[in-house]
Amino acid sequence: MDEGTAQAPGGDRGRRTVAGDGWPVTDLPVGDQFQARTKYQRGELRGGRLDWASKPATYKRYPGVPRVALSDPQTAGGAALWDVLRKRRSERRFQEAALREAELSQLLWASQGITRRGRGADFRTAPSAGALYPVETYLVIHTVEGIEPGVYHYDMAHHQLEQLRQGDYRAEVAHAALDQRMAAWTNVVFVWTAVFERAKWKYKQRAYRYVYLDAGHIAQNLALAAVGLGLGSCQIAALYDDEANSLLGVDGVDESTLYMTVVGRSG
């Protein structure tokens, strides 16, 4: 792309060479450049057919690793929504008591579980741009009854956990979370990544806006589910990307950490 020329959403060269305030795009800080270069401009959107043969896989799986079956989630009844919304707060102090496996199962389903299968898609509890679902869920488990401490990936297609690393990773996840100690003294840390190509396949560079929105929807579901179960949570966006990616074993390019949430028994 030529210097000073903004990129249109489909990856083609657009006509705008300046941001909305009149400054050349290349003179802006990187965050402002991103916002300017991924704008939709009327008359500059190019149509075209999607290449279905190149569509990335919807699900990520880890063949050959130990698996942990999860309890069936509760999908009806539960806490009243308006009460849950009113009670939601960010909590940073937690009790030492472990979470129950059934509680973790419920949290996973509420945040990103499958609610309906049909028409060639698996619909989930949280919305996703184009139903492409680029966000993956990982867990750093400290104290959950019946589940060994370690790093896990959520296989949502089968509602089970895949164990990637066994052991105590309190220090590592707390360091990755900008040295916030609550990540070490909670029961479990949810870590969300994006497999960018799943969204870029359709939305090109605009996809980078959407993956963060998707992660926010998921985190809000988790925060409300925690309140409904009598648990506390706190969302963490301040993190050392490379340290978080290393802990999960992702490359930070094709897949990279976006967001975290700690969940535990309220202190």
Side-chain angles (χ1 to χ4, degrees), residues 14-118:
R15 293 192 298 271
R16 289 181 64 86
T17 59
V18 295
D21 59 4
W23 289 96
V25 170
T26 50
D27 290 347
L28 298 175
V30 63
D32 296 319
Q33 284 196 46
F34 165 75
Q35 188 71 14
R37 290 177 183 273
T38 57
K39 286 180 178 179
Y40 278 173
Q41 303 290 345
R42 186 173 298 279
E44 294 184 5
L45 295 178
R46 294 176 182 260
R49 296 174 180 241
L50 293 173
D51 181 5
W52 290 94
S54 68
K55 186 178 186 293
T58 302
Y59 294 108
K60 181 178 183 179
R61 299 199 70 193
Y62 289 85
V65 302
R67 301 181 184 279
V68 179
L70 295 168
S71 302
D72 291 337
Q74 177 184 341
T75 60
L81 175 60
W82 308 133
D83 289 340
V84 168
L85 289 168
R86 178 175 51 82
K87 293 176 182 177
R88 194 220 60 80
R89 296 288 184 277
S90 295
E91 299 192 29
R92 295 171 174 81
R93 296 181 181 273
F94 305 101
Q95 301 178 25
E96 294 183 4
L99 288 189
R100 296 189 297 274
E101 178 275 325
E103 291 173 322
L104 180 61
S105 172
Q106 192 69 28
L107 292 169
L108 284 164
W109 178 82
S111 61
Q112 211 177 9
I114 295 171
T115 57
R116 180 168 62 90
R117 287 184 161 102

